Structure formats: structure tokens, C-alpha cells
Amino acid sequence: MKVDIYSKPSCSLCDEAIDVVERVRARIPFELRIISILEDPAAMMAWRYDIPVVVIDGELAFKHRVDEGALEARIQNGQGGTRVAQNHAQDE
């Protein structure tokens, strides 16, 4: 499973999204690429008003904010696995 985050420097929403994705990745390993839209003209045209954008295996998954529980469920379903660990927010 491959997750791409389209972001740019000095973007607080991007930093938050990366933190969420990294927390999920600590529980469920997957390939992660962080792509600066400043270095990719096509990404700049596509996402400049929507970053951060999270794409999972080529499919748009999240824009602006990443829901940790939804991301974890999507990764689990994509990998056909079971939950590895549970965070406290999922207990509520």
C-alpha cells in the first residue's frame, strides 16, 4: 500500500496531516511519500488550494484534514489485515 501526501513548506495543516499519517504508519506499516507541490507543477495545478491532500494507491482519500480512524480503517481494508493497535481516540 502506498500513501502520498501532497503538501508544501510552512503549511500547518500539512504538518498536522503528516503527524496523523505517521501515527497510523507506526501501527500499520505502509509506504509513504511526502510530495511538495512546489516541486511538482502538475501537483501545483491540481492541489494548490486543497493541500494537504492524501492519496492512497492513486485514489484521493483526504483533503485539508485527515481523520485518523478513517485513515487506519482504509489502510487496514486495503491491506486485508486486522487492527494492529488501537489508539485512545478510537475508544470514545
Side-chain angles (χ1 to χ4, degrees), residues 1-91:
M1 174 141 301
K2 183 171 72 171
V3 175
D4 296 328
I5 301 175
Y6 291 89
S7 66
K8 71 176 185 176
S10 301
C11 168
S12 61
L13 283 177
C14 299
D15 294 341
E16 289 175 25
I18 290 167
D19 289 345
V20 169
V21 171
E22 288 288 10
R23 283 196 303 268
V24 172
R25 188 172 176 223
R27 296 189 296 272
I28 307 170
F30 54 85
E31 182 182 344
L32 174 62
R33 290 188 318 160
I34 300 172
I35 303 159
S36 172
I37 64 168
L38 301 179
E39 297 172 10
D40 183 337
M44 173 64 100
M45 293 303 296
W47 307 120
R48 73 176 141 193
Y49 300 116
D50 292 317
I51 61 167
V53 172
V54 176
V55 175
I56 300 174
D57 286 340
E59 183 179 316
L60 177 64
F62 300 95
K63 290 194 296 188
H64 308 286
R65 300 211 184 272
V66 179
D67 179 277
E68 188 167 340
L71 174 63
E72 185 169 340
R74 194 154 180 174
I75 297 291
Q76 288 172 354
N77 288 339
Q79 292 182 346
T82 57
R83 169 169 272 149
V84 174
Q86 186 170 356
N87 69 30
H88 298 292
Q90 292 168 331
D91 291 335

